[in-house]
Amino acid sequence: MNSAPRHPRIFGRVAELELIHRSLRCSECSGILIEGEIGVGKTMLATQAFRDRGADGIWIRGDRVHQGVDFGAFGLLVDLDDDPATLLGRIVSMLTSTRTPQVVFVDDAHLLDSRSQGVLSELASAGSIRLAVLARSKTADGYIPFSSLVEDRVLQHLVLDVLPPEDYRAMIEHRLGGIVSQAVVDIVDFHSGRNPGKLLELLEYTSRRGRFLKRRGVWILDGLDVDYDERARDYTRIGLLDYSAKEREALELIVLAGEVDLATLLEAGLGEAADALVASGELRLDARAEHRYQAVENHAADTIRYTTPVGQSRAWFDFIEARGDTPSDWAKMIRAEWGLVCGAEISEARTIDAARIATGLGDWHRAMRLLAEVPMERMDPHDLFEVARLYCACNKIPLGLDVLAHAVRTACCAQLVIDSLVVWMGRAFGNSSPALRLADFRTALERLQEDGDDHPGEGVEAELGVELLDRVSTAVVEHRPIHRSVFADLSRQNALTSTFHVLDTSLHVMDMLDSGSTHEALALLGATLIECRADSSAVLRLTVLQVRALLQLGRIDEAKSLMADPPSHDIAFLSARSGPMDLLWAQVHLIEGDLPGAMMALRAAIEGLEYWNQTTQLAIALAEAEYAISRVGTPEEADDLHERFEALPFPGLYHDYRRALVLRTAARAIRTSDPSYLSELRRMLAEAEEDGAAAIVVLIRLLLFRHFDEIEPEELCRAAGRGTGREFELVGRLGAALRDKDPQALSAIAEAYGPSMPDLAGRCTALAARFGAQGHHREAGSEGHGELTARERQISALIVAGRSNAEIARELGVRVRTVEGHTYRLFRKLGITRREQVAEAMRGTEGRLRA
């Protein structure tokens, strides 16, 4: 065999499979030891290697039944009951009976009997056989069989780790059969640790129980099913058996309590066991408190909390409570729920306080479980508001609005009414809600004006609340979008609530990003995030804007870091986070030139945002998808997205609304060639220039160059100097290159931006060729360029960029025959016969530069 075949379904393991094949052919070793945790794919890879070799191999397996029997692993290959004196000779003869050393695949090698291990080691050391050994990394005694052969370089060594994120996502999508949202990836990752074996088991369970929802080909997490993890607990129970009894006891105590100090552990006789768990990564030492051990939040922790016997749990709870330590807020939350579960007396005040902490940390299901223990009729208006905000965040909007209406009707201060108004604007704006309307907020504020505020001098006055409500009502009546100008000078009122200030900051940041003040926006976000770190909903909203600002500045790795590590693994929080994260990942993929990945992420974002009623970001998601599909998809799909945008409620609190309007107008112009849309783009350009929206100006200038043959170097240079970010930098480089008619600079732009913007690269390449030709122009077809359709110009740019017809078809989402038809008509109009002539022909037919 010369090389190992490729197996597209061995996600993320192709290189490892090739290494296994090479080791079994290598003249300097006798095979390979493949080590890894249960489920990481050792047996799958070895099985594939075994199949690839045809009949050239022997497969044996260790097991607990034959572990105590000499040569028990060979029981299916030789007669163990025959003459014991000849048994070893018969085994050696069987293993070495071929002319060339045959390969022995050894599965579950950690369960081999010592005599089987011995004979295999000796024959491999002598070069008489080749070995492919599969062994668990973590065993009860810590011994890994055949490791001495690795030290002696008889065997190569392959340690299989968990799958990288991109391969893990591909494996989930292959298994489920569709696009998966970020929440699905996050929750399966949490429960399986990216272990492919656990993933397959979990998805099998998921399919049987209907744990995920499929919307237009996208799998999303419903965020309500807290029983999803039942199958994963089986794996956790198996894993816990690898620890000693003392270690399991220490892990159980610390997980249940959240954190335990050293003195308490020593009193329980578990100090050494806890240290061993810290060394293995199952526990951590709290850096803020000396000698305090803290639980690591993972699926094992959840399993321990759910499965510890009640009597044992109650005994541990009383032991910890008697210590009288001062736990962190997180541990207070954990212990309050622990006490309720094991039947201890937990006060209502302690329960509500724990629920507040859980809400702030994004542990929304735990918060709902805690709040379920307190009757709502005994909650004050502020507690009712927290419950309402939590239900709205978890997409239980009808219930949330009912509770919010009760909080507004019983509000004791104007601050609470304004907080409720902000929540209502974010979740019910543009919709007719029978539970709560703008008039209800006015009634509450007028009542407070008459009866007085229960907290005079501590917050905003009712008069200020009425003024804010008047401005919002006016915008609704006049059918105007809600942006920062609606609040005007009110945003400078320090007495306004933190909830309002988060909304105001969001709107301010969007204005700053539109104006090109990206660094200033990032600074404002950083300061506001520190102020509201105890509000997980606010942190999520502001983090989305923070990532967007980082992407504009080209700080891709920082943006990825913020996106990749969710602060909570709560199902409801992950679900609510999913759509915004998918939208941001789409932008990352576009920057990196992965257009298929971007389209999948955009589709996932749209379905997640729509299902979770996150209309604030749905507008830009629909617009970006429509624009992308207008370039690479079908008109029907783009029209569907256009109609879904039209159906959005108005007015509303939309992120990037201005950018969304520009993109969908450009998309319409690209696919219809209707001049009215181009006129609308130019109107938007003039409007953006007038009010200082520099980022919108740069966006439109770039679109006009890429898709509509508008070349205005001086305007590009002028626009680029008004802000900071990737698009400003690109437009500045482009304007300078066009102004100087610099072919090298244009070629450099084409090379740098070709993967993410092939149409831009095609335009730059054609213009570089034109400038480099020193005035030699081709006359053929010079009059035809103005008659090219938008699709023909698009295809010509892709041809110049080096794409084949098949590649163009895949990129545009059409059939190859359709591309061939467009290419034929394009060649006729340009008066050419070969693809190599397209660049020159386009160069000769470019419109005159307006320098």
Side-chain angles (χ1 to χ4, degrees):
M1 179 179 290
N2 295 323
S3 64
R6 290 194 170 272
H7 302 278
R9 293 189 182 182
I10 300 182
F11 299 95
R13 301 295 196 215
V14 172
E16 287 85 347
L17 181 59
E18 291 176 349
L19 174 61
I20 293 170
H21 280 295
R22 286 198 305 272
S23 72
L24 298 178
R25 299 190 304 268
C26 179
S27 60
E28 298 178 358
C29 69
S30 294
I32 191 166
L33 168 61
I34 308 168
E35 176 191 337
E37 287 303 304
I38 184 173
V40 294
K42 303 183 299 296
T43 302
M44 176 191 70
L45 282 179
T47 301
Q48 188 60 60
F50 182 77
R51 290 171 180 165
D52 290 343
R53 298 185 65 86
D56 180 19
I58 295 174
W59 189 282
I60 64 173
R61 183 190 304 276
D63 61 62
R64 298 187 187 281
V65 174
H66 295 107
Q67 195 171 17
V69 178
D70 286 348
F71 301 113
F74 298 106
L76 296 177
L77 302 174
V78 297
D79 187 353
L80 300 182
D81 295 328
D82 206 349
D83 184 2
T86 64
L87 178 56
L88 177 58
R90 285 185 282 123
I91 291 173
V92 171
S93 296
M94 180 268 300
L95 293 174
T96 60
S97 59
T98 57
R99 294 180 58 185
T100 58
Q102 62 180 329
V103 179
V104 180
F105 291 83
V106 186
D107 199 3
D108 288 336
H110 56 286
L111 296 178
L112 281 183
D113 63 278
S114 59
R115 296 296 301 278
S116 294
Q117 285 190 43
V119 68
L120 291 170
S121 295
E122 290 180 16
L123 291 174
S125 297
S128 301
I129 62 172
R130 295 186 179 276
L131 282 178
V133 178
L134 318 181
R136 290 268 300 274
S137 292
K138 189 183 292 183
T139 58
D141 57 5
Y143 170 68
I144 299 176
F146 299 94
S147 56
S148 61
L149 295 186
V150 174
E151 295 171 5
D152 295 339
R153 299 188 178 181
V154 174
L155 297 182
Q156 294 187 36
H157 193 196
L158 171 61
V159 179
L160 283 183
D161 203 349
V162 297
L163 289 174
E166 59 274 13
D167 294 309
Y168 190 69
R169 176 185 285 273
M171 190 174 186
I172 298 174
E173 288 176 338
H174 172 76
R175 188 69 176 183
L176 291 179
I179 300 169
V180 296
S181 65
Q182 187 62 45
V184 170
V185 176
D186 286 339
I187 198 65
V188 179
D189 185 343
F190 177 62
H191 287 285
S192 69
R194 296 208 304 271
N195 180 307
K198 294 182 182 180
L199 176 148
L200 294 174
E201 284 278 354
L202 280 171
L203 293 186
E204 181 66 29
Y205 171 81
T206 298
S207 298
R208 291 198 305 270
R209 302 294 292 270
R211 298 309 191 193
F212 299 147
L213 307 173
K214 195 170 188 180
R215 295 289 184 272
R216 298 180 185 236
V218 175
W219 290 99
I220 62 175
L221 185 66
D222 68 2
L224 303 175
D225 186 359
V226 294
D227 296 324
Y228 166 77
D229 58 0
E230 187 61 40
R231 181 66 187 97
R233 290 182 190 152
D234 295 339
Y235 278 103
T236 300
R237 295 185 188 102
I238 294 170
L240 291 175
L241 295 176
D242 292 330
Y243 297 107
S244 68
K246 284 287 187 183
E247 288 171 345
R248 289 197 297 271
E249 200 173 356
L251 185 60
E252 179 183 89
L253 174 60
I254 296 170
V255 164
L256 289 170
E259 59 190 30
V260 179
D261 59 37
L262 177 59
T264 303
L265 286 171
L266 291 175
E267 184 178 335
L270 300 173
E272 291 184 6
D275 285 336
L277 290 167
V278 170
S280 67
E282 290 296 332
L283 297 175
R284 62 170 171 259
L285 287 171
D286 186 353
R288 297 166 299 175
E290 190 175 1
H291 303 310
R292 176 166 293 188
Y293 296 79
Q294 195 172 64
V296 174
E297 279 301 280
N298 54 29
H299 188 69
D302 272 358
T303 300
I304 289 169
R305 293 190 186 111
Y306 278 97
T307 59
T308 300
V310 174
Q312 183 179 345
S313 178
R314 178 60 185 272
W316 278 128
F317 180 82
D318 292 340
F319 172 70
I320 292 295
E321 288 285 286
R323 297 292 302 175
D325 62 348
T326 54
S328 64
D329 282 349
W330 177 74
K332 286 179 185 177
M333 171 193 72
I334 294 293
R335 293 181 188 183
E337 187 180 36
W338 180 21
L340 291 170
V341 169
C342 70
E345 288 294 329
I346 304 295
S347 69
E348 289 182 359
R350 183 176 176 182
T351 303
I352 291 174
D353 185 51
R356 278 202 192 95
I357 295 169
T359 303
L361 294 175
D363 211 341
W364 292 348
H365 271 300
R366 179 173 278 118
M368 286 193 287
R369 290 195 299 267
L370 288 163
L371 290 169
E373 300 293 327
V374 182
M376 285 190 190
E377 59 269 17
R378 282 152 63 178
M379 292 183 184
D380 66 30
H382 288 281
D383 291 332
L384 286 172
F385 168 76
E386 293 296 337
V387 174
R389 181 162 63 169
L390 175 63
Y391 282 141
C392 286
C394 294
N395 211 33
K396 295 186 173 183
I397 294 174
L399 178 57
L401 292 179
D402 286 344
V403 179
L404 192 66
H406 189 47
V408 169
R409 292 188 183 103
T410 60
C412 56
C413 60
Q415 178 169 325
L416 178 59
V417 178
I418 292 175
D419 281 344
S420 300
L421 175 63
V422 172
V423 171
W424 179 85
M425 288 167 67
R427 283 296 187 170
F429 225 167
N431 295 313
S432 176
S433 168
L436 198 57
R437 297 163 299 171
L438 279 171
D440 297 315
F441 295 102
R442 187 175 301 279
T443 299
L445 289 169
E446 289 173 349
R447 172 178 60 79
L448 289 169
Q449 283 180 307
E450 294 177 5
D451 298 345
D453 196 311
D454 282 3
H455 311 296
E458 295 184 12
V460 66
E461 299 293 335
E463 288 76 12
L464 190 61
V466 171
E467 184 178 354
L468 171 63
L469 186 63
D470 285 341
R471 296 184 182 190
V472 172
S473 300
T474 300
V476 171
V477 170
E478 295 178 357
H479 212 60
R480 290 189 285 114
I482 302 296
H483 47 70
R484 196 163 186 255
S485 63
V486 171
F487 306 132
D489 57 319
L490 291 182
S491 59
R492 293 193 295 271
Q493 296 282 342
N494 291 328
L496 279 166
T497 67
S498 61
T499 305
F500 174 82
H501 277 301
V502 168
L503 170 62
D504 181 61
T505 298
S506 300
L507 296 173
H508 192 187
V509 165
M510 284 184 276
D511 281 351
M512 295 168 83
L513 293 175
D514 281 350
S515 68
S517 303
T518 315
H519 288 291
E520 295 83 350
L522 202 55
L524 176 59
L525 284 167
T528 310
L529 279 164
I530 293 173
E531 294 173 9
C532 69
R533 58 180 176 267
D535 182 347
S536 57
S537 294
V539 169
L540 176 58
R541 188 181 315 128
L542 296 175
T543 300
V544 168
L545 292 172
Q546 187 180 28
V547 171
R548 187 194 145 184
L550 289 169
L551 292 176
Q552 277 200 18
L553 292 172
R555 292 155 64 174
I556 312 300
D557 290 339
E558 289 179 64
K560 286 182 177 180
S561 178
L562 283 173
M563 296 157 60
D565 189 18
S568 167
H569 289 98
D570 175 86
I571 292 177
F573 182 84
L574 289 180
S575 298
R577 179 181 182 271
S578 184
M581 288 302 111
D582 276 317
L583 179 57
L584 293 172
W585 277 116
Q587 293 172 10
V588 170
H589 293 322
L590 285 172
I591 290 171
E592 295 180 339
D594 180 8
L595 193 54
M599 290 308 308
M600 292 174 70
L602 277 172
R603 289 185 172 99
I606 289 168
E607 301 311 323
L609 292 168
E610 187 169 76
Y611 178 76
W612 277 78
N613 296 299
Q614 294 168 317
T615 54
T616 55
Q617 294 174 80
L618 184 55
I620 186 62
L622 288 166
E624 287 191 348
E626 182 185 348
Y627 170 65
I629 287 172
S630 294
R631 294 154 54 212
V632 300
T634 64
E636 294 77 17
E637 189 177 6
D639 287 342
D640 176 64
L641 292 167
H642 194 86
E643 291 172 6
R644 291 173 74 175
F645 189 104
E646 291 290 329
L648 290 175
F650 194 85
L653 288 167
Y654 294 114
H655 283 201
D656 295 325
Y657 192 67
R658 198 167 188 172
R659 189 179 187 89
L661 293 177
V662 169
L663 289 174
R664 68 195 303 263
T665 303
R668 218 48 182 161
I670 289 169
R671 67 179 184 274
T672 66
S673 299
D674 186 336
S676 66
Y677 292 110
L678 195 54
S679 298
E680 177 64 12
L681 268 183
R682 294 195 181 97
R683 186 198 65 77
M684 291 178 173
L685 175 62
E687 186 179 86
E689 288 176 334
E690 183 178 349
D691 58 24
I696 302 301
V697 171
V698 160
L699 171 65
I700 297 174
R701 290 283 179 198
L702 195 55
L703 291 170
L704 291 173
F705 174 78
R706 290 172 63 182
H707 305 298
F708 307 107
D709 304 333
E710 292 203 3
I711 304 172
E712 297 186 342
E714 295 302 334
E715 293 299 332
L716 290 170
C717 291
R718 189 177 298 112
R722 294 174 178 168
T724 54
R726 291 182 71 258
E727 288 181 347
F728 287 93
E729 179 187 352
L730 168 58
V731 167
R733 290 178 62 185
L734 184 60
L738 293 171
R739 180 192 59 207
D740 300 337
K741 299 184 179 180
D742 185 342
Q744 287 77 25
L746 285 168
S747 296
I749 293 171
E751 183 177 355
Y753 292 91
S756 58
M757 303 180 191
D759 42 21
L760 174 75
R763 295 275 292 138
C764 288
T765 301
L767 288 169
R770 174 186 179 181
F771 296 147
Q774 299 179 348
H776 294 289
H777 299 283
R778 179 186 180 91
E779 294 183 3
S782 60
E783 299 300 323
H785 182 54
E787 300 172 6
L788 295 182
T789 66
R791 181 65 96 184
E792 287 166 351
R793 289 196 296 271
Q794 190 177 24
I795 289 175
S796 70
L798 293 172
I799 291 173
V800 171
R803 304 289 203 276
S804 67
N805 281 354
E807 290 170 336
I808 293 172
R810 284 195 298 272
E811 196 157 337
L812 299 182
V814 299
R815 294 180 302 172
V816 175
R817 184 174 292 276
T818 301
V819 174
E820 290 171 348
H822 282 301
T823 303
Y824 172 78
R825 289 188 290 274
L826 173 69
F827 283 16
R828 288 283 303 271
K829 290 180 180 181
L830 294 177
I832 60 175
T833 58
R834 300 192 311 277
R835 300 174 79 83
E836 305 86 77
Q837 298 173 311
V838 172
E840 185 180 356
M842 294 295 290
R843 181 190 69 219
T845 57
E846 286 292 343
R848 296 272 194 276
L849 284 173
R850 294 194 296 273

